């Protein structure tokens, strides 16, 4: 796996690939991995930087350096452009996205739940998908090394009591996390994944795992993408058709190879390719497509419509008679608190109501 920055990606000639993947989250990393395994010459471009475990914040003060806020109504921006957590606010809407190699997998809770049967029955899914659904889910679970939570942490006990007392016909549902709980010092699998350490139950999953225990996509899919060129700190601006015959690529055999697309990083520098997969998240993908449309790319008039979140609603509970003590720990606190009494992963329990909603 090659890693380059925006400053060193252009030499004397033009960069050219069979496919360019924009974004490195669950969409882009899987696409880059599978195409690379198939022998396709792939370049993955990521706006953010590579985050190491020690780079992630573990207290409220340090998180400010990893935070960016954009308020569209006030025209106000605070924080670095490549900040790990980027919050967009406009009117009564607020959205948080991740910026870094690994995308949203860097700052999520790593929850892995099989697709409910009722969701699979939706007629909008291609019928062919049902043939391989279980196989593909099993493959993802293996790659992300899903594991059950080994301990019922205190906040899970509190949630269990609240669910039993307050929610009618509610039952506990099992979940697995893409987090390593093995007591061994490091763990790896045969799929080419990088070694990871064991979870410390510090509760800091949402700000990036500072102890290298979460299986974010940079540690598995991208680590397995042999031959894939990965360019970090590289923000794609727009994509247009390559109409200039003089810009055809010349391969190692001095044979002309016509590439169909130009992927621009600014108004001058671009990369040539035959296929483009834009998986830069909801905001990033829409931004690239809107810019591309202004330069002649034909797109659907539905672009920008039908936005939604992951299907989640977040709530903050104050003044409860059963405090969950859901706060993250600093490394200095480990010696004072036994593993089973620590906060645990950000999400370690799940309860589903007969009405159809789930609380985690």
């Amino acid at each position: 796996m090659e890693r380059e920055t925006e400053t060193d990606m252009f030499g004397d000639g033009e960069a050219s690939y069979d496919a360019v993947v924009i974004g490195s989250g669950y969409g882009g990393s899987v696409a880059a991995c599978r195409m690379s395994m198939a022998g396709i010459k792939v370049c993955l471009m990521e706006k953010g930087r590579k985050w190491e475990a020690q780079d992630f914040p573990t207290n409220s003060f340090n998180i400010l350096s990893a935070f960016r806020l954009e308020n569209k109504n006030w025209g106000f921006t605070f924080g670095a452009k490549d900040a790990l957590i980027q919050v967009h606010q406009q009117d009564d809407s607020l959205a948080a996205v991740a910026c870094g190699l690994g995308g949203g997998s860097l700052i999520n809770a790593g929850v892995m739940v099989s697709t409910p049967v009722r969701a699979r029955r939706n007629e909008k899914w291609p019928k062919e998908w049902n043939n391989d659904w279980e196989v593909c889910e099993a493959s993802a679970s293996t790659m992300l090394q899903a594991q059950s939570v080994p301990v019922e942490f205190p906040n899970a006990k509190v949630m269990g009591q609240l669910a039993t007392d307050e929610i009618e016909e509610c039952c506990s549902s099992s979940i697995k996390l893409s987090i390593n709980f093995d007591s061994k010092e490091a763990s790896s699998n045969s799929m080419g994944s990088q070694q990871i350490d064991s979870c410390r139950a510090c509760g800091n999953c949402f700000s990036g795992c500072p102890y290298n225990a979460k299986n974010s996509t940079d540690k598995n899919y991208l680590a397995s993408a042999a031959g894939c060129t990965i360019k970090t700190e590289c923000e794609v601006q727009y994509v247009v058709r390559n109409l200039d015959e003089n810009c055809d690529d010349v391969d190692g055999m001095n044979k002309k190879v016509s590439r169909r697309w130009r992927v621009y990083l600014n108004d001058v520098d671009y990369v040539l390719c035959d296929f483009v997969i834009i998986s830069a998240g909801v905001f990033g993908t829409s931004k690239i497509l809107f810019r591309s449309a202004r330069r002649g790319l034909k797109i659907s008039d539905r672009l920008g419509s039908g936005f939604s979140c992951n299907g989640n609603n977040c709530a903050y509970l104050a003044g409860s008679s059963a405090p969950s003590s859901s706060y993250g720990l600093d490394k200095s606190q480990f010696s004072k608190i036994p593993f089973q009494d620590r906060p645990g992963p950000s999400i370690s329990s799940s309860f589903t109501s007969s009405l159809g909603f789930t609380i985690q």
Side-chain angles (χ1 to χ4, degrees):
M1 181 174 68
E2 301 175 40
R3 180 185 182 277
E4 303 176 20
T5 61
E6 187 173 0
T7 56
D8 64 5
M9 70 167 57
F10 298 104
D12 295 332
E14 292 160 340
S16 176
Y17 301 90
D18 297 329
V20 166
V21 177
I22 305 170
S24 61
Y26 289 111
S29 63
V30 176
C33 176
R34 298 308 180 204
M35 287 192 293
S36 296
M37 293 173 67
I40 297 172
K41 184 181 180 183
V42 183
C43 175
L44 181 139
M45 298 183 177
E46 166 57 49
K47 171 185 174 182
R49 66 182 179 90
K50 169 68 175 175
W51 288 81
E52 304 294 347
Q54 64 269 18
D55 298 333
F56 293 117
T58 56
N59 58 57
S60 300
F61 178 78
N62 290 339
I63 203 171
L64 292 176
S65 63
F67 183 86
R68 177 181 174 87
L69 172 65
E70 292 186 13
N71 189 301
K72 299 296 183 182
N73 295 95
W74 301 342
F76 171 77
T77 300
F78 166 82
K81 188 176 181 180
D82 64 346
L84 173 65
I85 303 169
Q86 308 206 352
V87 177
H88 304 266
Q89 184 176 7
Q90 183 171 355
D91 299 329
D92 60 352
S93 298
L94 184 145
V97 299
C99 180
L101 189 65
S105 69
L106 296 174
I107 63 168
N108 68 3
V111 176
M112 299 189 65
V113 179
S114 297
T115 309
V117 174
R118 65 179 182 275
R120 290 174 52 177
R121 289 174 180 162
N122 192 313
E123 295 180 354
K124 292 182 179 180
W125 297 115
K127 293 181 179 179
E128 297 79 7
W129 286 21
N130 261 318
N131 299 333
D132 300 318
W133 205 301
E134 288 84 3
V135 174
C136 291
E137 282 192 345
S139 176
S141 180
T142 299
M143 179 66 86
L144 296 171
Q145 301 184 59
Q147 296 185 16
S148 299
V149 183
V151 175
E152 186 180 27
F153 292 98
N155 56 11
K157 294 178 181 178
V158 172
M159 284 297 298
Q161 188 62 47
L162 287 173
T164 302
D165 295 345
E166 304 293 337
I167 304 175
E168 295 183 3
E169 299 182 30
C170 180
C171 63
S172 175
S173 51
S174 62
I175 60 173
K176 290 188 175 183
L177 307 178
S178 56
I179 295 175
N180 179 44
F181 295 102
D182 292 339
S183 57
K184 297 178 182 179
E185 189 170 317
S187 173
S188 63
N189 65 21
S190 59
M191 305 285 291
S193 300
Q194 295 178 356
Q195 286 194 334
I196 60 173
D197 297 317
S198 180
C199 176
R200 310 293 180 87
C202 69
N204 290 314
C205 304
F206 287 157
S207 57
C209 179
Y211 304 109
N212 196 39
K214 187 195 296 186
N215 275 296
S216 49
T217 59
D218 56 317
K219 296 183 178 70
N220 37 71
Y221 284 106
L222 295 182
S224 303
C228 176
T229 298
I230 296 180
K231 302 181 185 295
T232 56
E233 302 173 61
C234 175
E235 183 175 6
V236 171
Q237 300 299 315
Y238 55 90
V239 178
V240 295
R241 284 278 187 180
N242 178 28
L243 303 178
D244 192 343
E245 295 292 336
N246 295 325
C247 288
D248 286 353
D249 174 48
V250 180
D251 66 13
M253 301 295 291
N254 293 322
K255 178 182 177 182
K256 285 281 186 177
V257 179
S258 179
R259 299 297 192 183
R260 299 190 298 172
W261 297 99
R262 290 189 184 188
V263 180
Y264 277 85
L265 295 110
N266 50 54
D267 289 333
V268 177
D269 300 315
Y270 60 86
V271 170
L272 294 169
C273 64
D274 280 330
F275 297 94
V276 183
I277 296 178
I278 307 179
S279 50
V282 175
F283 289 160
T285 297
S286 298
K287 181 189 294 186
I288 292 170
L289 289 176
F290 274 123
R291 287 173 175 168
S292 302
R294 290 198 293 268
R295 292 164 174 81
L297 182 67
K298 294 183 179 180
I299 60 173
S300 168
D301 56 9
R302 290 286 298 162
L303 179 65
S305 304
F307 272 60
S308 85
C309 63
N310 290 343
N312 303 332
N313 288 308
C314 298
Y316 185 86
L317 180 65
S320 169
S321 59
S324 60
S325 301
S326 298
Y327 51 83
L329 299 180
D330 188 77
K331 188 176 182 179
S332 61
Q333 298 172 280
F334 289 164
S335 60
K336 305 173 185 177
I337 305 176
F339 181 83
Q340 67 273 13
D341 295 333
R342 297 174 189 172
S346 295
I347 293 177
S348 63
S349 60
S350 180
F351 302 90
T352 302
S353 164
S354 59
L355 298 176
F357 65 85
T358 296
I359 296 178
Q360 296 179 338

